[in-house]
Amino acid sequence: MGREVVAELEGTLLRSPDVFPYFMLVAFEASGLIRFALLLLLWPVVRLLGAAGRGDLALRVMVFVAVAGVREAEIEAVARAVLPKFFLDDVDMTAWGVFSTSSEERRVVVTALPRVMVEMFAKDHLRADEVVGAELHVHRVGIATGFLKNGTDSLSPSLSKKGERPRLGIGRPSSSSSFLSLCEEQLHPPFLAQEKTLPEPLPRPTPAMALLIILWIPIGVLVAFVRILVGIVVPLRLTPYLVRPFGGELIVRGRPPQPPTSGTGGVLFVCTHRTLMDPVVLSMVLGRNVPAVTYSISRLSEILSPIRTVRLSRDRQVDGDRIKAELAMGDLVVCPEGTTCREPFLLRFSGLFAELTDRIVPVAMNYRVGFFHATTARGWKAMDPIFFFMNPRPAYEVTFLNQLPAEATCSAGKNPHDVANYVQRILASTLGFECTNFTRKDKYRVLAGNDGMVSSLVASATIEDRFRRLLGFFFLH
């Protein structure tokens, strides 16, 4: 008897058996809005095929529309950067507990989805040793044809290992896959009384939501244009008074420091980095132009920015001298995470800022949106502010903390990394976030497959990619 536990993904490890939303994500993220809309139009056909007992044919239709003509590398990138968030939100913790705590030597996940869409998530997050799923047919030049080499009806034979039967199978009795019949013992959901789970923080892109967003896009583009135009034309000190009339919300907590006086130098505002809008919103709240330290943002973002930007080189000595010179002239904003993070976590803070001044004011920045995230996982970051303003009612929260006491800074002999970690902890506590040791480079390696350096970003983004992403929008993921 084999020492394996085999579990079905859809409807077992994941609460919902519906795979259509995941194909919509792949269609949009790997190709664009046109393919996404086409798949949405075919949703009634997919449902009818499923109701008629032709689930395998419905799956093939979804696969073909979602990935035909798409590069395999693009599909893998979506599986790495986008899908895990949605999978995690739908995990049935009770089923996963049974699967992950099993004493068997091998854990196998069976899925109706193409294996490439699931394998990374299942191995990294579900502790699976192997993933059995449909295989995409890929042309020798690396382009997916949209056809499957096998379907759910041919998955069972691949589970047999040297003629041994898996000891435990976990899945729905009504599953279209017949792998359960190979197992010595079977478990069907629900396994135990279901635990109380928190509401999903972000909804999956269901057909109804997708249709609503598509209908909103023309309105959202117009609204974003008006909001951005107002932000460019109106002086910063007046902008906060126009936020609510134009459908936004700005929440300010704490007491900001007074503007610097001549000859005294400025304070360094150390902010969490949620979107590219953080320094701009901070300047709006303060009512004056506070320069922001930046790296690897596009020239378009710098041109449209209503505040002055200070571009860094990633040379520690050069950047340190540049920041000191700016602080001698007045206040400055820095986001020591080095890149945006949309989840309730703070990336590791660089300790450079702590070496340069003891006048440090932590500022907790956060935002709320309805349809579109203000940070992209894979797209062109210059578009992020546009998608922020395309939301029906975007909101920003700015919380000023007290300036660090002298004894908590490097001037009192503290190590720069200890100061940076302390600032990270108090900002995380204010927002209810978790601190991590995840760095900027770690984020880009996971999401983009490079180290996030400008040269890598330029090399990995072709003209075709940029044009396609200009036409797209980014789901909450």
Side-chain angles (χ1 to χ4, degrees), residues 24-39 66 70 468-469 471-473:
M24 287 202 295
L25 286 168
V26 172
F28 168 72
E29 291 284 353
S31 185
L33 185 59
I34 295 176
R35 188 188 296 266
F36 175 85
L38 177 60
L39 183 58
V70 177
R468 172 173 56 76
R469 289 166 187 172
L471 301 178
F473 61 92

Side-chain angles (χ1 to χ4, degrees), residues 88 305 318 434:
L88 284 170
S305 175
V318 172
E434 293 184 28

Side-chain angles (χ1 to χ4, degrees), residues 3-5 98-107 167-168:
R3 300 291 296 172
E4 292 180 335
V5 55
V98 174
F99 178 73
S100 63
T101 59
S102 171
S103 61
E104 308 308 320
E105 295 178 357
R106 295 179 70 249
R107 298 182 179 89
R167 192 195 67 80
L168 177 63

Side-chain angles (χ1 to χ4, degrees), residues 72 81 98-99 111 124 130 138 156 159 174 195 199 244 310 345 371 387 404 416 444 456 462:
E72 185 181 23
V98 174
F99 178 73
T111 177
D124 291 348
E130 183 181 351
V138 179
S156 298
L159 293 176
S174 59
E195 299 175 357
R244 191 172 293 275
V310 180
F345 304 99
F371 284 164
F387 290 108
L404 291 191
Y444 277 101
S456 300
T462 64

